[in-house]
Amino acid sequence: MLTVNGTAHSLALPGDTPLLYVLRNDLGLNGPKFGCGLGECGACTVLMDGMATRACVTRLATAAGRDIVTLEGLGTLDAPHPVQAAFIAEQAAQCGYCLNGMIMGTAAFLARNPTPTEAEARAALRHHLCRCGTHLEILRAVMRAADLLKAAEGPSA
């Protein structure tokens, strides 16, 4: 059983099938991209039990029974996740190929570190490749997302 974006799926596929192939080819979820196929670039990143995970090197058998969230499940058009809203507000995309990994990596990072410094944000995303040069916009989006998430939590008790 594979649970993706809150929906359980029963799939008759070999356990060694890459999760990325299942998401894109069988479930029609195109947020995660095929980049390198080696887990190096980050374009295929999903959240698995809240942790940023490279779907191209994660096998279906490993993902079974885990909670998988893709870009499509992070937010909606009407209610984008604060990370998605921040990336839109900062216009942090050019070609958009790395965007899935940057957004999913940022969501996982901010869940662990809700008040990051810019240096911590830079370090957290260092293994996500972007060839378009939107790095400054991406960093601004990460910091804006942290602020949006803090504001959504409200004042500390």
Side-chain angles (χ1 to χ4, degrees), residues 150 153-157:
K150 275 188 276 189
E153 289 176 5
S156 299

Side-chain angles (χ1 to χ4, degrees), residues 25-108:
N25 300 338
D26 297 288
L27 301 182
L29 299 168
N30 294 315
K33 306 287 186 243
F34 184 92
C36 66
L38 302 170
E40 298 288 329
C41 73
C44 65
T45 302
V46 298
L47 301 180
M48 186 161 60
D49 294 337
M51 300 294 296
T53 304
R54 307 295 169 101
C56 71
V57 293
T58 300
R59 303 292 171 222
L60 181 59
T62 302
R66 314 282 290 278
D67 181 36
I68 309 297
V69 176
T70 67
L71 185 65
E72 294 89 347
L74 196 60
T76 66
L77 287 174
D78 295 329
H81 185 278
V83 173
Q84 292 169 316
F87 272 71
I88 292 166
E90 292 295 338
Q91 298 181 30
Q94 239 177 61
C95 83
Y97 211 80
C98 74
L99 204 56
N100 173 77
M102 294 290 189
I103 290 173
M104 300 308 284
T106 297

Side-chain angles (χ1 to χ4, degrees), residues 1 5 14 18 28-29 37 54 73 76 78-79 110 118 127 136 150 152 154:
M1 189 65 62
N5 300 331
L29 299 168
R54 307 295 169 101
T76 66
D78 295 329
L110 293 177
E118 186 176 313
H127 296 294
L136 296 177
K150 275 188 276 189

Side-chain angles (χ1 to χ4, degrees), residues 10-30:
S10 182
L11 303 162
L13 296 168
D16 65 347
T17 304
L19 176 60
L20 179 62
Y21 294 0
V22 175
L23 296 173
R24 292 181 61 82
N25 300 338
D26 297 288
L27 301 182
L29 299 168
N30 294 315

